[in-house]
Amino acid sequence: MGTTQSGILGGRLPLAEYEANFSDLHPSLDRHEALVAADRCYFCHDAPCMTACPTSIDIPLFIRQIATGNPIGSAKTIFDQNILGGMCARVCPTETLCEEACVRNTAEERPVEIGRLQRYATDIAMRENKQFYSRAARSGRRVAVVGAGPAGLACAHRLAVKGHDVVIYDAREKSGGLNEYGIAAYKAVDDFAQREVEYVLSVGGIEVSHGKALGRDFSLADLAEEFDAVFLGLGLAGVNALRIEGENAEGVEDAVDFIAALRQSKTKADIPVGRRVVVLGGGMTAIDAAVQAKLLGAEEVTICYRRGKEHMNASEFEQDLAASKGVTIRHWLQPKRIAVKDGRVAGIELDYTTLENGKLTTTGETGIIAADQIFKAIGQAFEASGLGALRMESGRIVVDSEGRTSLEKVWAGGDCVLGGEDLTVSAVAMGRDAAGSIDRAFAVAQPLASAVA
């Protein structure tokens, strides 16, 4: 039985309960389960699931390979398009991508379990340390990659396979970016993010320099001068502010920091949580923060979102998951003021909202929810310095269809670019495609006199 003491406290639950609460959300399929799941696939010729996948994995082929007893071949099919296919199998919102497009939904309203089948194959290959790629002869070209997240890792791997030398710079102590710091702990257990990083780097030709931040330790101009090309996979470091009274009170925290702390905790018991928690936002980050607050032993957890259920960025599966864990989701509520007592959060006052002529407006009614901890999950912003004259629009880097920026020798991808999505799989696709563009640019340029045979 956990403690119901008020305030923000760690150790609300017995240690064994933390372990159970933060166990794998979707355990890996065993061989029999995988064969049964694979047997449901129609192996469509013009498979809509492939079109729905941002990395265009040949889904019917990899499932057929599983069905014929060839999970290693299946893993190669996956990794050929998405070298981070293991993590994507765990965290991708398949219910709104490939599985939503599955034709099985029409007759049975239950798609083929594409995500779990992908994990089955990639887990086997990684567990057996099957390396499908070797480096081409060294080209003599050097590329700087800024950011060791999904976009940067995918770009670096593809460039290394092509024979180019890559140096990745990352401001944090560990590689992985969103996969290491921004995903609910129960979605990637057993330090999987780091094991996947090691698998990616094992191709060779990639050096990683941690604790190095763009704008603080070097500028984009510095990198462009030293390297033959630069890829920016910076992600989103900033968090949108509420801009309401009481925002700076003790107990008001950024949801992304809470999630990151949980991912780095071994036992979870050391992560403090309130008795009554309110999460502001309607995306995956809000769901991840709310569910984990409940799993840490919070008595009441409420998500407040300013629009309706159908407008939430979090998938229906994620919303249902939150509800199943005891999280209350309330819609049409917008934060107005945080109530503070003795410098600490005591509650939050919210405006009721509605849509009038397509525009969000308040109704004039307000409500108050008691809380001792409030998490902000209302979106992130791109924050970076040292970019020089790089063209920006709406606070993001402008790129073309190949990831090229307005500056010569500079490419970008992932959440930091205009039109980028907050999805690991989309970031991987952009990093991979930018690497292809960089390699083609090298091919049409004059060969380097110092190229290594």
Side-chain angles (χ1 to χ4, degrees):
M1 182 74 179
T3 177
T4 58
Q5 187 175 343
S6 62
I8 302 174
L9 306 169
R12 286 187 176 274
L13 303 172
L15 279 177
E17 202 165 332
Y18 285 109
E19 187 174 344
N21 286 355
F22 287 91
S23 60
D24 207 336
L25 179 63
H26 296 298
S28 186
L29 299 173
D30 62 27
R31 182 178 180 276
H32 175 73
E33 290 170 331
L35 291 174
V36 171
D39 192 52
R40 296 187 63 244
C41 182
Y42 287 140
F43 310 116
C44 305
H45 175 64
D46 296 318
C49 55
M50 277 185 66
T51 306
C53 174
T55 54
S56 302
I57 292 171
D58 192 335
I59 294 169
L61 175 59
F62 94 66
I63 294 179
R64 185 184 294 276
Q65 288 168 313
I66 291 173
T68 55
N70 183 16
I72 299 300
S74 176
K76 184 179 185 302
T77 298
I78 295 162
F79 287 142
D80 280 349
Q81 291 297 105
N82 182 349
I83 194 61
L84 300 183
M87 182 61 83
C88 287
R90 289 162 165 78
V91 305
C92 225
T94 53
E95 64 275 4
T96 62
L97 295 171
C98 55
E99 291 181 14
E100 183 179 58
C102 179
V103 296
R104 276 284 190 180
N105 286 312
T106 305
E108 303 173 19
E109 296 185 358
R110 185 169 73 89
V112 174
E113 293 183 284
I114 298 170
R116 297 188 75 187
L117 286 168
Q118 180 168 314
R119 174 174 173 177
Y120 170 75
T122 54
D123 277 4
I124 290 175
M126 290 180 64
R127 187 164 58 245
E128 297 183 9
N129 197 28
K130 294 290 184 182
Q131 296 295 331
F132 302 107
Y133 313 98
S134 57
R135 296 193 70 200
R138 290 182 63 194
S139 68
R141 301 284 188 178
R142 298 177 68 239
V143 182
V145 172
V146 185
L153 289 169
C155 182
H157 183 270
R158 186 60 61 99
L159 288 168
V161 169
K162 296 291 186 179
H164 312 306
D165 292 325
V166 182
V167 180
I168 302 178
Y169 297 96
D170 196 273
R172 294 199 188 242
E173 295 179 359
K174 293 182 181 179
S175 299
L178 179 73
N179 290 354
E180 174 61 37
Y181 294 99
I183 289 166
Y186 52 78
K187 293 180 180 177
V189 302
D190 300 329
D191 207 26
F192 181 79
Q194 288 309 298
R195 289 193 285 118
E196 186 172 59
V197 167
E198 291 168 8
Y199 183 78
V200 170
L201 298 181
S202 65
V203 72
I206 305 171
E207 174 190 340
V208 183
S209 181
H210 292 115
K212 300 293 185 183
L214 179 66
R216 184 190 69 196
D217 301 303
F218 52 83
S219 68
L220 182 55
D222 294 333
L223 296 179
E225 184 176 347
E226 181 181 352
F227 292 86
D228 298 295
V230 179
F231 175 79
L232 302 174
L234 295 163
L236 303 178
V239 177
N240 293 333
L242 296 172
R243 294 185 175 84
I244 60 173
E245 179 186 338
E247 183 171 4
N248 296 321
E250 184 180 336
V252 180
E253 303 174 35
D254 293 332
V256 291
D257 292 339
F258 173 65
I259 292 168
L262 267 164
R263 282 300 301 274
Q264 301 311 304
S265 170
K266 298 297 183 186
T267 67
K268 315 304 182 217
D270 59 324
I271 304 300
V273 71
R275 185 175 72 168
R276 295 190 178 100
V277 177
V278 171
V279 180
L280 303 172
M284 305 290 265
T285 299
I287 297 288
D288 283 356
V291 169
Q292 292 186 111
K294 193 68 178 170
L295 297 179
L296 285 174
E299 186 177 316
E300 297 174 11
V301 179
T302 306
I303 291 176
C304 295
Y305 180 57
R306 61 180 182 159
R307 296 178 184 268
K309 175 182 174 67
E310 67 277 16
H311 302 117
M312 292 182 74
N313 285 332
S315 67
E316 191 167 344
F317 169 81
E318 293 287 339
Q319 294 180 51
D320 291 344
L321 174 66
S324 73
K325 301 298 183 182
V327 174
T328 300
I329 302 179
R330 297 186 60 181
H331 305 99
W332 304 109
L333 289 173
Q334 179 174 284
K336 180 180 182 179
R337 179 183 65 88
I338 293 173
V340 180
K341 183 177 181 181
D342 299 327
R344 298 179 180 179
V345 169
I348 184 166
E349 183 179 2
L350 304 113
D351 284 315
Y352 282 84
T353 58
T354 188
L355 285 176
E356 285 186 7
N357 300 318
K359 291 185 177 181
L360 191 71
T361 184
T362 57
T363 66
E365 301 171 280
T366 62
I368 295 177
I369 299 176
D372 43 27
Q373 190 172 35
I374 295 173
F375 289 116
K376 297 182 289 182
I378 58 170
Q380 292 180 257
F382 176 53
E383 288 183 355
S385 58
L387 295 174
L390 193 67
R391 185 183 166 206
M392 308 280 289
E393 189 177 311
S394 301
R396 306 287 175 96
I397 301 170
V398 176
V399 295
D400 68 7
S401 60
E402 294 188 2
R404 291 175 295 203
T405 72
S406 60
L407 299 181
E408 188 180 3
K409 297 171 59 175
V410 180
W411 282 254
D415 296 344
C416 67
V417 305
L418 187 67
E421 301 176 78
D422 185 19
L423 290 175
T424 293
V425 66
S426 297
V428 169
M430 284 185 271
R432 176 202 66 194
D433 294 347
S437 179
I438 293 169
D439 182 61
R440 289 191 295 274
F442 288 161
V444 299
Q446 291 294 320
L448 287 181
S450 60
V452 179

